[in-house]
Amino acid sequence: MKKIFYISVIFLLAVVLFGIVLFVLSKNKEKGALQVTSDPKSKVYVNGKQVGQTPFRTSELKDMFEAGDYTVKLVPILGNFSPFEQKITIYPKVLTVIDRSFGPTGL
């Protein structure tokens, strides 16, 4: 009887420990970097939130983006240029680069 109790306790502890390990690993999601440059200098928005201005780069792990789909919008600070918007995918351990040169439009 004591043997079954000890085996049950050890099994329960193993399950709890496994759950804790899975929880910790799921919090460490894969991240990727983003670099944005433009001419002229622009405000940078990611999913509608301003994150800085060009040149913009996330090179520190704490500043990187979780892997996934995002919308990046560039709003030129100078000039009468229309904003530029693009959907991108951030991949784990990859630097995604956006380079935009604004210029006159029309013919």
Side-chain angles (χ1 to χ4, degrees):
M1 187 71 157
K2 286 183 182 181
K3 208 177 206 181
I4 293 174
F5 175 74
Y6 289 128
I7 290 173
S8 298
V9 169
I10 291 172
F11 177 75
L12 183 61
L13 287 174
V15 168
V16 169
L17 183 61
F18 182 71
I20 291 171
V21 168
L22 284 179
F23 176 75
V24 169
L25 289 178
S26 71
K27 291 194 120 207
N28 252 350
K29 294 187 176 177
E30 295 284 337
K31 293 186 172 189
L34 175 63
Q35 175 179 305
V36 184
T37 54
S38 70
D39 183 29
K41 196 173 262 197
S42 302
K43 294 178 185 177
V44 179
Y45 295 84
V46 176
N47 287 349
K49 179 183 174 194
Q50 185 175 352
V51 294
Q53 65 182 26
T54 59
F56 175 81
R57 183 172 182 157
T58 58
S59 53
E60 298 291 326
L61 183 61
K62 64 180 178 58
D63 298 326
M64 291 184 183
F65 293 90
E66 291 182 4
D69 296 326
Y70 296 88
T71 300
V72 176
K73 182 178 180 179
L74 302 178
V75 179
I77 295 172
L78 299 173
N80 190 21
F81 301 109
S82 297
F84 169 77
E85 192 169 301
Q86 181 176 4
K87 293 188 182 288
I88 62 165
T89 301
I90 299 287
Y91 294 98
K93 301 177 186 173
V94 173
L95 172 64
T96 301
V97 177
I98 298 174
D99 180 37
R100 176 70 178 179
S101 292
F102 292 90
T105 58
L107 298 173

